[in-house]
Amino acid sequence: MLSLALPGRVFLCTLPTDMRKGFDTLAALVQAHLGQDALSGDLFVFRSRRGDRLKLLYWDEDGYALWYKRLEEGSFVLPVADGQRATVGAHGLVLRPAELAMLLDGVDLSHVKRHKRYRRPAG
């Protein structure tokens, strides 16, 4: 059994991505579409046009790691930029690691009700 620790920050690219793209091309998309550094150790999520495939890219201390999932039936229900969710770059959203886990498990995040919690003021 393979177990991976999720990083603190997860970024979702909202533009459909050609799933034939590899490590270096996805890393270039991180810079172009999300304005982030692919070597940061953060996790970057890319989706296919049909929404039935996801690729996750991250830097793992000494090289890129790529995780790929293809659904046999159905599609991933991805969140949209709605003003409630933090955005990053021109085409990205910020996800919590728990939200990524739910998304991979088939949960529609738009129907998840989050209770109000204390948030420390920025500044």
Side-chain angles (χ1 to χ4, degrees):
M1 176 185 210
L2 179 64
S3 177
L4 300 173
L6 289 175
R9 298 188 325 165
V10 179
F11 300 104
L12 169 68
C13 182
T14 57
L15 292 178
T17 304
D18 183 346
M19 290 290 110
R20 296 173 293 180
K21 294 188 183 305
F23 298 97
D24 297 324
T25 308
L26 291 173
L29 290 178
V30 167
Q31 177 65 38
H33 295 314
L34 306 176
Q36 298 294 312
D37 178 12
L39 301 174
S40 65
D42 296 326
L43 185 68
F44 302 96
V45 181
F46 300 90
R47 67 178 181 91
S48 67
R49 184 166 304 283
R50 291 187 311 207
D52 64 339
R53 299 158 196 241
L54 290 181
K55 274 193 176 181
L56 283 63
L57 175 74
Y58 62 97
W59 180 259
D60 186 29
E61 295 184 18
D62 58 356
Y64 285 115
L66 192 62
W67 189 85
Y68 187 37
K69 183 167 184 173
R70 180 189 76 189
L71 296 177
E72 290 299 318
E73 199 173 293
S75 60
F76 294 101
V77 181
L78 302 174
V80 296
D82 58 3
Q84 301 295 319
R85 184 173 300 281
T87 60
V88 61
H91 303 287
L93 297 175
V94 178
L95 296 179
R96 292 175 162 179
E99 291 174 321
L100 175 62
M102 287 188 286
L103 185 132
L104 292 173
D105 201 31
V107 175
D108 181 351
L109 297 177
S110 66
H111 292 94
V112 173
K113 182 179 178 186
R114 186 173 305 282
H115 293 282
K116 187 175 180 177
R117 300 283 177 126
Y118 172 77
R119 293 196 98 151
R120 190 170 134 187

